[in-house]
Amino acid sequence: MFRPMHELKAADALAFTFDGRALTARAGDTVAAALLANGVQACRQTPVSGADRGPYCMMGVCFECLVVIDGVGNRQGCLVPLREGMRIETQAGRRQPDSVRA
Amino acid sequence: MNTLREIGQLAEHYDIAIVGAGPAGLSAAARAAELGLSVLLADENPAPGGQIYRAITTTPVADRSVLGEDYWKGGALVTRLERTSAAYAPGCTVWSVAPDEAGGFELGLSLGGQARLVGAGQVILATGAQERPFPIPGWTLPGVMTAGAAQIALKSSGLVPSGRTVIAGCGPLLYLLAGQLAAAGANIVAVLDTTPRRNWLSALASLPDFLRSPYLAKGLKLMAAARRELAFRTGVTALAAEGSGKVTGVKVTRGGATETIPCDALLLHQGVIPGINLSNAAGCAQHFDTVQHCWTPTVDDWFASSIPGIAIAGDGAGIGGAESAALRGEIAALDAARRLGRISEAERNEKAAPTRAELARSLRGRRFLDLLYRPAPQFLAPPADETIVCRCEEVTAGQIRDTASRLGVTGPNQMKAFLRCGMGPCQGRLCGPTVVELIAQVRGVSPAETGYYRLRPPVKPVTLAELAALPPTESAVKAVVR
């Protein structure tokens, strides 16, 4: 859905994963921007109806870009700078009792 | 400037704490530091500039003409701050501001996953603006974003929408963004202008002032370029985003006829409103501004709020634009120094005089823009029942209207109890104005009479672990240990 204006130089590239998929993005991008640059449109499902949502405001206001980052849920992707090796996952709707670690 | 990257680097106490590193916060911090105050400038973003000067020190967009000369003016604000001794904490979220026992304030902050409570004698909130919610059917579909979001992606990451892009709404930023995205190579298939034609009548009385304003030349240039180069359609009266799982088109009604324009991205914009969550939660009085049509914190000539010691500078206290925000930051900082006893009232007035003159000039013509780009009623209170209003809790316009009329709900706080609107993670930022508008419409009263959400800290999510790790204060220990 978004493309970078300038080609990504190898020196500026950071490797990360989204739901296990290996991706790269520019050092300096936020997590939300890195996902948009890789064609990821939906990064969470709502806890109410399970509908797909993607980044909406990119400035920390709307909470639509919530993702799981390195195992920590409900992070605002648009406020977190991307780091090398980050493990990013879809924030999948409402948590079920059996998915919570004892 | 001393950049703090870890929460442990923050001092216990500052003369003044400033929240937000946009034009208002940067200027306030620089001025306060130049007057010899110890300053903390806390900002949620990774780099200074706020949204208008987003990523001004880090943007990968090298071609200066893409973002325009006005954008690059932001660099001077950062350079000025860099020459001072102010402490600047990027990536730092302020989630609470409360009075402390010493007559100052205690700020709750998080940085790098750790929380701290830090003291400040004076506080300036420079939290800026957010885009006005623009609820239309389908606005929650992935691929629908605010125009500001696309601008942020462009400024901070050099990203451009890659497919067929439609821009819809009204306001000066809409034309600016259309021009910037076109210059960056986006494929803009339509610009859908929702400015109501009758707005010209109400705005006309303010035209003479606008003709002498700094906005004029700028605005005309933007408008002319957008109209010349882009598929511009005016008089749009209804919009709906269509698609399943993601946006694939936008349904447009103009002049009584409806058509669907296929698109891969839909960028919405309906002007900007003050971001009031922190000031509201801190207990600062607010009122409904009928010209700008939004809730606005009530401030005096020095941008002091109803709580002595808390000032609100920049667009967070009423929309005036980047230039005015910087000037308002200066003035608020001078008054904070006076309150701290560092300068006299006479010194404050003398230093502020030239800034005040500039401020008056920068705001000239604002009223014309406010009245001309006032949103049409159907975009403030969506007529289609299925339109989602509270995006977090998925509450629709129909549910809110129904609850207001059948159960006689009189205000947004009562509505929360019935429908949970405003109780999701965004804390009403994306639904508050619309919920107020819908209740007002059903009851036949004004938004001012309807009121707004009573917000409470923390205004941003903070983990229980962060709170639990806070060192207990003496009074907190005394309260539970006997």
Side-chain angles (χ1 to χ4, degrees):
Chain A
M1 194 183 100
F2 278 78
R3 63 175 170 79
M5 283 175 77
H6 313 286
E7 213 171 300
L8 183 60
K9 293 188 211 109
D12 291 341
L14 296 179
F16 67 101
T17 62
F18 179 64
D19 289 342
R21 251 186 325 140
L23 302 171
T24 54
R26 193 188 66 96
D29 283 353
T30 61
V31 165
L35 293 176
L36 290 176
N38 279 282
V40 174
Q41 285 203 312
C43 62
R44 74 170 185 120
Q45 283 105 39
T46 64
V48 179
S49 71
D52 279 340
R53 294 282 174 88
Y56 181 73
C57 80
M58 294 295 276
M59 54 180 271
V61 172
C62 75
F63 290 75
E64 294 290 11
C65 63
L66 294 179
V67 284
V68 182
I69 300 177
D70 293 332
V72 181
N74 289 311
R75 304 287 314 274
Q76 285 184 276
C78 72
L79 293 178
V80 179
L82 184 72
R83 301 263 178 257
E84 175 70 26
M86 255 183 183
R87 191 162 47 84
I88 303 163
E89 293 161 284
T90 295
Q91 180 72 46
R94 187 183 307 166
R95 279 225 273 186
Q96 303 302 321
D98 58 4
S99 71
V100 181
R101 276 174 296 168
Chain B
M1 185 175 82
N2 181 15
T3 303
L4 311 180
R5 305 257 172 217
E6 284 171 30
I7 196 105
Q9 295 175 303
L10 271 70
E12 286 294 316
H13 187 273
Y14 292 90
D15 290 333
I16 182 164
I18 297 162
V19 187
L26 287 169
S27 300
R31 177 60 95 148
E34 287 160 7
L35 290 166
L37 307 186
S38 64
V39 177
L40 171 66
L41 174 61
D43 186 66
E44 209 170 29
N45 292 294
Q51 304 310 333
I52 192 81
Y53 302 128
R54 177 87 185 210
I56 187 69
T57 54
T58 57
T59 182
V61 181
D63 178 354
R64 288 173 77 94
S65 67
V66 169
L67 296 172
E69 275 318 304
D70 276 345
Y71 171 74
W72 296 99
K73 283 181 188 166
L77 297 174
V78 180
T79 308
R80 178 179 169 198
L81 187 71
E82 279 170 347
R83 286 197 289 262
T84 72
S85 60
Y88 161 61
C92 178
T93 299
V94 176
W95 40 264
S96 126
V97 174
D100 70 7
E101 289 152 4
F105 297 91
E106 186 181 69
L107 279 77
L109 315 105
S110 287
L111 175 60
Q114 284 181 293
R116 270 279 296 276
L117 298 174
V118 166
Q122 297 281 310
V123 174
I124 297 179
L125 306 180
T127 49
Q130 64 164 75
E131 285 176 276
R132 187 192 297 276
F134 194 166
I136 58 168
W139 72 314
T140 51
L141 287 169
V144 182
M145 299 174 87
T146 71
Q151 201 185 34
I152 289 165
L154 176 64
K155 288 173 182 170
S156 56
S157 297
L159 295 177
V160 183
S162 54
R164 297 159 300 179
T165 302
V166 174
I167 303 177
C170 75
L173 186 68
L174 191 82
Y175 313 117
L176 173 63
L177 176 85
Q180 289 174 331
L181 287 183
N187 174 20
I188 299 168
V189 294
V191 179
L192 308 174
D193 193 329
T194 63
T195 311
R197 293 209 167 96
R198 65 178 175 282
N199 280 9
W200 280 99
L201 291 175
S202 48
L204 221 51
S206 310
L207 185 62
D209 241 12
F210 179 70
L211 293 176
R212 301 187 296 127
S213 84
Y215 293 114
L216 180 68
K218 224 184 279 181
L220 287 180
K221 224 168 94 186
L222 283 174
M223 190 81 97
R227 289 196 181 224
R228 196 171 54 239
E229 291 157 20
L230 302 168
F232 212 86
R233 299 182 204 187
T234 58
V236 171
T237 53
L239 288 166
E242 296 185 329
S244 160
K246 64 173 186 174
V247 68
T248 51
V250 53
K251 199 163 96 182
V252 190
T253 307
R254 54 195 290 261
T258 299
E259 63 169 324
T260 297
I261 303 172
C263 67
D264 305 295
L266 171 61
L267 306 176
L268 299 174
H269 180 75
Q270 196 71 261
V272 294
I273 58 175
I276 55 173
N277 277 50
L278 189 52
S279 64
N280 181 317
C284 301
Q286 60 188 29
H287 63 276
F288 192 82
D289 182 323
T290 51
V291 175
Q292 300 199 331
H293 203 86
C294 53
W295 290 95
T296 305
T298 305
V299 293
D300 69 11
D301 279 353
W302 296 92
F303 309 108
S305 75
S306 63
I307 297 182
I310 301 183
I312 306 167
D315 277 2
I319 304 306
E323 210 179 312
S324 102
L327 299 168
R328 289 187 278 172
E330 297 265 342
I331 294 171
L334 285 168
D335 193 46
R338 195 266 311 168
R339 283 172 186 265
L340 289 165
R342 301 300 180 87
I343 58 172
S344 70
E345 196 171 313
E347 274 176 280
R348 175 199 71 175
N349 295 351
E350 191 198 338
K351 284 179 196 291
T355 313
R356 283 201 182 279
E358 265 190 90
L359 179 63
R361 190 189 55 83
S362 80
L363 291 172
R364 198 185 286 154
R366 187 77 229 173
R367 191 181 160 85
F368 176 76
L369 294 177
D370 291 339
L371 292 171
L372 180 60
Y373 295 119
R374 192 180 176 143
Q378 70 270 26
F379 295 120
L380 292 169
D385 277 346
E386 76 273 17
T387 314
I388 288 180
V389 170
C390 170
R391 298 173 61 104
C392 298
E393 295 289 335
E394 295 177 78
V395 181
T396 65
Q399 285 174 282
I400 292 166
R401 261 193 292 265
D402 188 49
T403 308
S405 59
R406 281 196 307 123
L407 301 179
V409 167
T410 59
N413 291 303
Q414 200 182 2
M415 194 61 84
K416 276 193 211 175
F418 284 103
L419 297 178
R420 287 193 56 81
C421 50
M423 294 179 75
C426 97
Q427 303 186 9
R429 288 169 174 91
L430 271 284
C431 73
T434 315
V435 169
V436 170
E437 209 72 44
L438 287 165
I439 297 173
Q441 189 188 55
V442 166
R443 293 178 39 84
V445 299
S446 67
E449 285 170 82
T450 307
Y452 194 74
Y453 291 137
R454 172 69 179 94
L455 303 168
R456 288 181 180 80
V459 299
K460 278 291 181 94
V462 50
T463 66
L464 197 55
E466 282 177 79
L467 290 179
L470 288 173
T473 61
E474 205 179 319
S475 59
V477 173
K478 276 185 190 152
V480 291
V481 178
R482 295 201 185 273

